[in-house]
Amino acid sequence: MGTARAVTAPATDRVPGRLAAFTARAVRELLFCVLQVPLGLCVLAFPVVLSVSLLGLTLLVNGSYPEQRPAHPEWAVSVFGAAIIVVLLALLVLTPRIARGLGAVHRRLAAWLLGERIAGPPPIRHGRGPARWLTATLRDRPGWRAVAYQLVKLPVTVSEAGAVFLAVFGLANLTYPFWWHLFRNHPANVRLSPVVAVTPFGSLRIATFPGTFAALAAGVAMVLAAPWLARGASSADRWLMRGLLGPGRLAQRVADLEHTRALAVDDSAAMLRRLERNLHDGAQIRLATLAMSLGMAKEKLGDDGEVLDAAAVRELVDAAHRGAKDALSELRSLARGIHPPTLDNGLADALATLAAGSVIPVELDVDVPDRPRPAVETIAYFCAAELLANAAKHSSANKIKIRATGREDALLLQVSDDGTGGADPARGSGLAGLAQRAAVVDGRLDIVSPPGGPTRITVELPLRA
């Protein structure tokens, strides 16, 4: 919301569902679960510290045996109790800051292994002095949301631990038939204790070689189930992170608006620079040439109006006439670059004009009941024009389809082709600029373009930006 998103679909993850357990994504999700289990159990440190402190205080007061009174003076008990209270209060005060640090680790792991980039909350703002520091810490909403994440995450941590258990012990169970004869080659009259194979439903006691195939079957089932459990647990964890470890809705909205404003300012400045450059390099030079030609023609005329060289004057006037027409043509092109005249009749007519001028056959489908605001129509038009130009230049497509639909409060412009695919905003094809232009009005750009095609690019814009 409020930002542009350029998303490409990697070919490595586009595999059938039954094979998804063996992709690099599954390995990353399992590694994510391995690292998340100890981090998720950090929340248990507080009750452990509390229990140990209360146990120590109880032993200090009553001794190891209730019937024996301890030989500790009362002041020592009071000092120890006060120290426990101070430690617990300090731990309570530092909890939001500790949770913030853990939240940053969770976000980095999600970005590294899952590709889920979650913006961090704004830093704590506090003035000078311990009182303001304490007040800012206790009123730190993002910090307390991070504490809530650690608490709510406990069931997810259990699922992540289950995925790790299935993967580790499943792989171990797969090895039983391969090492059995290496370590169980004892004489027939010697009886050894059964070997234990751990499964989610209990342990298997294996005493013979045929029994190892039961462990092998259990290991296959566990290894197949582990990636799916890891995927579900990591998806739930990402959902919790987005809601509790990122900036709040209001803070995120303010950040999005600030980003949108910066993009709008940059886009306006870039447009002004482009207009100035085009005017300076094009129309201005032609008008200067026109003025020089007319000045030279004037010199060919005598003071009394007599033509000294009629052929030269005619040639200069003809050159001035051509320069004036070229200057008018460039000025019209600049005006169309600011606001195409075809948009005066609506987006449907403007897109039809683009489709008619395309070198690749275009199938057009427009269904926008409510006309968008002029700024949104202009952005949609230029996005369609740029995407058509990119398809003609890079895609080797035989057919392009443009579909514009109005859905609730959004305008969806989808341009698809049957070309070679592989569209990437990082390769300088103009897609990054389209994403920034869409973000100016709080829109976004989604790209699905696997190698080999097809390509489908969707521009989502608000109707009332």
Side-chain angles (χ1 to χ4, degrees), residues 62-137:
N62 297 325
S64 301
Y65 301 96
E67 63 275 7
Q68 297 179 359
R69 300 298 300 173
H72 299 294
E74 294 184 0
W75 64 268
V77 176
S78 301
V79 169
F80 186 74
I84 291 177
I85 294 175
V86 170
V87 170
L88 293 179
L89 288 177
L91 186 60
L92 179 63
V93 169
L94 293 175
T95 294
R97 293 182 177 267
I98 296 174
R100 267 180 171 263
L102 288 174
V105 176
H106 287 296
R107 288 193 301 271
R108 282 196 289 269
L109 285 177
W112 174 42
L113 294 172
L114 304 181
E116 183 75 27
R117 288 170 176 78
I118 302 172
I124 302 176
R125 296 180 180 179
H126 55 79
R128 297 181 179 178
R132 293 184 177 180
W133 184 91
L134 178 62
T135 302
T137 301

Side-chain angles (χ1 to χ4, degrees), residues 226-287:
W228 296 108
L229 183 57
R231 181 160 302 179
S234 60
S235 298
D237 209 343
R238 281 186 292 183
W239 182 77
L240 290 176
M241 287 186 194
R242 286 192 293 265
L244 296 174
L245 292 186
R249 291 184 178 181
L250 181 59
Q252 183 63 48
R253 183 58 179 163
V254 170
D256 290 341
L257 291 175
E258 290 178 348
H259 180 66
T260 300
R261 182 186 63 182
L263 288 177
V265 172
D266 293 342
D267 186 67
S268 300
M271 180 177 289
L272 289 176
R273 288 194 300 269
R274 186 167 60 251
L275 287 175
E276 189 276 334
R277 183 176 63 252
N278 291 338
L279 287 172
H280 181 272
D281 297 342
Q284 180 176 335
I285 293 178
R286 296 188 183 279
L287 291 175

Side-chain angles (χ1 to χ4, degrees), residues 2-3 60 80 170 172 198 203 205 233 331 354 362 398 402 426 428-429 463:
T3 57
L60 186 64
F80 186 74
V198 181
S203 59
R205 301 177 65 83
L331 290 174
L354 286 177
V362 176
N398 297 316
I402 301 177
S429 57
L463 286 175

Side-chain angles (χ1 to χ4, degrees), residues 342-355 364 366 381:
T342 55
L343 278 176
D344 295 337
N345 298 325
L347 183 61
D349 290 347
L351 293 178
T353 303
L354 286 177
L364 181 64
V366 180
Y381 173 85

Side-chain angles (χ1 to χ4, degrees), residues 166 169-170 173-174 197-200 204 213-223:
L166 291 177
F169 286 95
N173 291 341
L174 291 177
V198 181
T199 71
L204 299 176
F213 291 98
L216 177 67
V220 170
M222 293 166 68
V223 168

Side-chain angles (χ1 to χ4, degrees), residues 360-361 391 395-401 415-421 452-456:
I360 301 176
S395 71
S396 302
N398 297 316
K399 185 178 181 181
I400 301 175
K401 183 176 181 179
V415 180
S416 56
D417 63 65
D418 58 356
T420 57
T455 296
R456 184 177 70 253

Side-chain angles (χ1 to χ4, degrees), residues 17-19 68 189 266 290 339 359:
R18 61 181 180 274
L19 300 178
Q68 297 179 359
N189 59 346
D266 293 342
L290 169 63
H339 178 76
V359 296

